[in-house]
Amino acid sequence: MLNSSKKVFARSANLALQCRAFSSGDNFISKPFKSLRDGLSWQIPKELENPNRPPSEADIVIVGGGVMGSSAAYFLKQSEKVGADVVVIERDNTYQQASSVLSCGGIRQQFSTPENVLMSMYSSHFMKHIKDYLSVEGSDPPDLQFNHQGYLFLASKENEHILHDNHVIQKNCGAKVELLTPKMLKERFHWLNVDGISLGSYGMENEGWFDPWSLLKCFKSKALELGVRYFNGDVSGFHVVDDNGNSIDPTKPSYQGRKLHSVLVSMPNSPEVVRIKASYVILTAGAWSGQVGKLLGIGTGPKEENLHAAIPVVPRKRYVYVAHCPDGPGLTCPLMIDQSGCYVRREGLGGNYLMGKSPPEEAEPSCDNLDVNYDYFDEEIWSHVAHRVPAFEKLKVKNAWAGFYDYNTLDQNAIIGPHITYKNLLMATGFSGHGIQQSPAAGKLISEYILEGGFKTIDIRKFGFERCITETPVLERCIV
């Protein structure tokens, strides 16, 4: 047992060494892409083009233009040395139901997997220095309204060992976290009822919450300034060819290899379907990534080509309740995760708080809509938060909303990297609730894989799709 622990901690320390200085001057590959669009402009004069009609060819097509897709687009274009033609397809350009903008916007370094710790540390650094990265000429400097308040995890005697184990991993990665006894918790958070609590873990730096819509807007605005093109449409299929360039059925065996050739985009309010030939396709479709993968036969194709394993990402609905409590904890309230699974954080300065809780597997709500079940708050949340913070006995729920997790049913961890069969298909999906906070790191790493041939900033090979084929989960013990 001791030797096993040493191996885990040694691996954590090794990964921590990869968390090098993060700056905007990263050494990207100097070999430029050949823009497949070059030489075609004479066919259709620009002034006659439909501004929302995608081009027939692009170097890279990104499926999904939320925060993950926009982050990847930004990092792919931010180096002047690389002339990649990047196109983003987004079916909901209002983002009204996008997971990106319906999240709570939390960011933490308190994970049990070193890769998650390092990704969030990178993202926190990026957000702290966002003006250096995402400022757009002629616009106000970006402001994420970052609240550096920290996360507070609470554990009973039964689960105290988990916080101890996680603490070692987090410290080895360079995270600044502190373990607090019940007495220390009470001294720091006088409003907290510590009955049943044996230990707390508090993030001293690089944790808190921010405005998720602002992060998406900043990424997209900067990507547009750098030349990324966004188009409104629904990816409805793909064109797949074998090694000889012959068209093949994605769901049928191919004995001469296979490659993703083109993306088929159904245009809004039109029967037209546009085909975009691409060198690379990046799947950042969030909760619907599994459905998009099926269009390529991923999950329904032949086992001998490793296409029997689906992308295990499905939508899971989560409620966020806004409660008003003038006598609540106030400015000293961190983002607290109770041992019951309930979370609370302050929202603004007017006595409002965001609250929620993930349901057990057998009680998952329907994902047919984004309706909110207010009874869930009364039955599953209120008594727990009122026990932990007695002032919440008098709270009143003002409103609520619902959003979708891109839930990885295998292990609730991200899937980042190429598909094992479609080498030119890369994925960044399945974050299961921590995608918004890890989007800067994920976009950076995806761009490194394409432009530099591998993950350079952080070694995240553990999060590759291979584990979905072998059904080998990478378990994360800190899922909220």
Side-chain angles (χ1 to χ4, degrees):
M1 187 69 177
L2 183 59
N3 290 334
S4 176
S5 299
K6 287 182 177 179
K7 288 180 181 179
V8 172
F9 300 154
R11 174 172 171 76
S12 303
N14 183 50
L15 281 166
L17 295 176
Q18 300 165 25
C19 201
R20 63 193 189 200
F22 305 126
S23 67
S24 58
D26 294 300
N27 182 23
F28 275 31
I29 188 169
S30 59
K31 181 180 178 181
F33 275 81
K34 174 177 173 58
S35 175
L36 299 174
R37 186 173 170 82
D38 291 350
L40 296 176
S41 59
W42 61 270
Q43 298 176 15
I44 304 175
K46 279 192 174 183
E47 61 271 17
L48 298 180
E49 290 185 359
N50 179 347
N52 189 50
R53 191 181 192 281
S56 59
E57 300 187 46
D59 295 318
I60 302 168
V61 173
I62 299 176
V63 181
V67 71
M68 199 64 64
S70 295
S71 173
Y74 158 72
F75 280 106
L76 285 164
K77 290 290 288 185
Q78 67 97 31
S79 173
E80 294 180 356
K81 297 179 182 179
V82 181
D85 181 16
V86 181
V87 164
V88 179
I89 306 298
E90 171 55 46
R91 68 177 181 179
D92 176 20
N93 56 7
T94 67
Y95 297 104
Q96 290 182 349
Q97 295 190 4
S99 299
S100 303
V101 300
L102 294 175
S103 72
C104 284
I107 182 167
R108 59 186 166 102
Q109 55 198 343
Q110 294 185 70
F111 288 94
S112 66
T113 307
E115 291 83 354
N116 279 330
V117 178
L118 294 174
M119 287 180 69
S120 289
M121 288 179 65
Y122 174 91
S123 293
S124 178
H125 173 93
F126 184 92
M127 292 181 196
K128 284 182 177 180
H129 299 85
I130 195 168
K131 294 179 182 179
D132 297 332
Y133 299 111
L134 300 185
S135 290
V136 174
E137 187 174 353
S139 300
D140 292 335
D143 179 13
L144 299 184
Q145 302 173 43
F146 201 135
N147 287 270
H148 301 273
Q149 198 70 38
Y151 271 62
L152 175 64
F153 282 85
L154 301 175
S156 63
K157 186 66 176 178
E158 181 182 5
N159 296 317
E160 177 183 347
H161 68 283
I162 296 177
L163 291 189
H164 278 294
D165 293 345
N166 293 348
H167 183 75
V168 175
I169 293 171
Q170 294 155 11
K171 295 288 283 186
N172 283 343
C173 288
K176 295 186 178 180
V177 290
E178 182 180 5
L179 294 179
L180 303 174
T181 63
K183 181 180 178 181
M184 296 166 68
L185 285 168
K186 194 65 178 178
E187 290 174 350
R188 181 167 296 186
F189 308 108
H190 62 87
W191 41 264
L192 186 69
N193 175 15
V194 296
D195 288 352
I197 298 301
S198 179
L199 191 66
S201 178
Y202 183 62
M204 306 297 291
E205 290 185 8
N206 300 319
E207 293 193 341
W209 56 90
F210 57 92
D211 177 25
W213 167 245
S214 294
L215 181 61
L216 168 56
K217 184 175 66 174
C218 289
F219 266 130
K220 183 173 181 178
S221 297
K222 187 63 178 181
L224 287 167
E225 183 188 54
L226 293 173
V228 175
R229 292 179 290 168
Y230 282 73
F231 297 95
N232 183 208
D234 191 13
V235 173
S236 55
F238 297 92
H239 181 209
V240 178
V241 299
D242 62 20
D243 292 342
N244 297 319
N246 300 314
S247 298
I248 59 174
D249 184 339
T251 64
K252 301 289 179 62
S254 172
Y255 302 103
Q256 295 181 317
R258 66 175 64 220
K259 181 181 180 181
L260 200 170
H261 180 273
S262 307
V263 181
L264 306 181
V265 182
S266 296
M267 302 305 295
N269 306 314
S270 168
E272 182 182 19
V273 177
V274 177
R275 176 181 290 185
I276 312 173
K277 182 180 179 182
S279 299
Y280 283 96
V281 175
I282 303 174
L283 179 56
T284 55
W288 292 270
S289 295
Q291 295 179 20
V292 176
K294 289 180 180 179
L295 299 175
L296 279 163
I298 301 174
T300 60
K303 185 174 183 178
E304 55 267 32
E305 294 183 85
N306 293 309
L307 289 173
H308 63 291
I311 300 173
V313 178
V314 298
R316 290 284 174 89
K317 186 161 70 173
R318 296 291 180 263
Y319 307 122
V320 181
Y321 300 92
V322 183
H324 183 64
C325 185
D327 298 325
L331 290 175
T332 61
C333 183
L335 203 160
M336 180 185 71
I337 296 92
D338 185 45
Q339 60 173 342
S340 63
C342 297
Y343 69 82
V344 176
R345 79 158 171 85
R346 176 175 56 82
E347 173 67 3
L349 304 175
N352 295 323
Y353 299 86
L354 300 187
M355 303 179 181
K357 178 185 179 182
S358 294
E361 184 77 22
E362 64 276 8
E364 286 288 351
S366 169
C367 292
D368 293 339
N369 54 58
L370 285 175
D371 296 343
V372 174
N373 180 357
Y374 283 88
D375 291 337
Y376 183 75
F377 180 86
D378 295 334
E379 297 168 1
E380 301 293 337
I381 298 175
W382 195 356
S383 62
H384 293 294
V385 297
H387 173 71
R388 191 59 57 211
V389 183
F392 286 153
E393 285 278 5
K394 300 179 181 179
L395 66 77
K396 292 184 179 180
V397 175
K398 295 176 59 179
N399 53 57
W401 74 84
F404 293 122
Y405 272 14
D406 56 335
Y407 191 84
N408 180 348
T409 59
L410 177 67
D411 57 17
Q412 295 83 63
N413 262 320
I415 302 170
I416 307 178
H419 188 270
I420 194 169
T421 301
Y422 292 105
K423 304 295 186 183
N424 62 333
L425 171 67
L426 282 85
M427 294 170 271
T429 186
F431 289 82
S432 305
H434 46 274
I436 187 75
Q437 65 175 286
Q438 293 186 343
S439 57
K444 170 72 169 174
L445 292 164
I446 284 290
S447 71
E448 288 179 346
Y449 190 91
I450 292 177
L451 303 179
E452 301 187 55
F455 304 122
K456 304 298 181 180
T457 302
I458 305 168
D459 184 356
I460 55 164
R461 288 174 294 176
K462 182 191 291 187
F463 288 161
F465 186 75
E466 290 82 357
R467 77 185 196 275
C468 302
I469 296 174
T470 60
E471 298 184 352
T472 308
V474 177
L475 296 178
E476 171 58 57
R477 304 170 85 177
C478 290
I479 296 295
V480 179

